[in-house]
Amino acid sequence: MSADPLHRAGAPPRTPTNPPPSGSGTSAIEVRRSTRRRRTVSAYREGDRTVVLIPARMSEAEEQRWVSVMLDKLAAQESKRVLGDAELAERAERLSGQYFDGRARPASVRWVTNQNTRWGSCTPSEGSIRLSHRLQGMPEYVVDYVLLHELAHLLVPGHGPRFWRLLEAYPRTERARGYLEGVVAADRLPHVPGARSE
């Protein structure tokens, strides 16, 4: 989603900067409308904001839909960059501060390649969190959800009501769980050898 220099120059009509949808990871979204742009929509990061370029004729409903689509595309693109263990630990610290008032303090957070039946695991007595390498390349909000899930186990070991109440603070919990359920379901689909798509 690279910037379109033709539409960055000059002063195209702009929608005022809005707060981003939950979990987008940016502080602001700016929608720029262009009379030159007919059908294409693009987006890019500009400092701490996300700029979405759309045709001027789009309705408000179309604008909202496309902003959401483009934020997801940017997040997916950015998540393809594999975080190292140190970055993963920093992310866990930030999420703990944001959603659990910093109470969940893991001693270690790292990627592992030996978890093929679960997305993450936590050993509360050691304060260690491990995430499956299969999460690498998934959208940022999905990785954040799994990290928060494991961080919550540092505060509540089981999966009782108190545990799930902690995760209610993260606004993209249901969406992330749905994404992971979709991945699991897709893995179970039969793969027919030699089948061609029509």
Side-chain angles (χ1 to χ4, degrees), residues 162-179:
R162 218 172 118 233
F163 174 84
W164 293 112
R165 273 195 300 277
L166 281 173
L167 286 181
E168 286 173 3
Y170 183 56
R172 300 186 93 175
T173 290
E174 287 307 312
R175 186 171 187 182
R177 289 181 72 185
Y179 185 99

Side-chain angles (χ1 to χ4, degrees), residues 58-159:
M58 266 193 189
S59 68
E60 289 292 320
E62 288 174 311
E63 174 184 317
Q64 288 178 4
R65 184 176 75 78
W66 276 106
V67 165
S68 178
V69 165
M70 297 312 287
L71 286 174
D72 284 347
K73 282 188 176 184
L74 280 174
Q77 185 180 57
E78 290 164 352
S79 71
K80 286 180 183 168
R81 183 181 67 86
V82 177
L83 299 174
D85 289 348
E87 291 169 304
L88 203 57
E90 287 172 17
R91 190 178 199 129
E93 185 180 341
R94 179 181 54 79
L95 289 167
S96 175
Q98 187 174 354
Y99 294 101
F100 303 144
D101 298 321
R103 292 178 296 133
R105 295 187 186 107
S108 68
V109 182
R110 62 191 174 94
W111 294 108
V112 293
T113 57
N114 63 351
Q115 289 191 73
N116 294 314
T117 58
R118 53 172 77 178
W119 299 113
S121 62
C122 174
T123 307
S125 60
E126 298 173 3
S128 63
I129 291 175
R130 295 159 304 282
L131 295 192
S132 172
H133 71 286
R134 295 178 306 139
L135 289 165
Q136 294 173 338
M138 289 190 188
E140 197 173 276
Y141 72 91
V142 175
V143 176
D144 285 354
Y145 165 72
V146 176
L147 265 176
L148 280 166
H149 184 107
E150 302 310 331
L151 286 165
H153 279 309
L154 293 175
L155 304 174
V156 180
H159 286 105

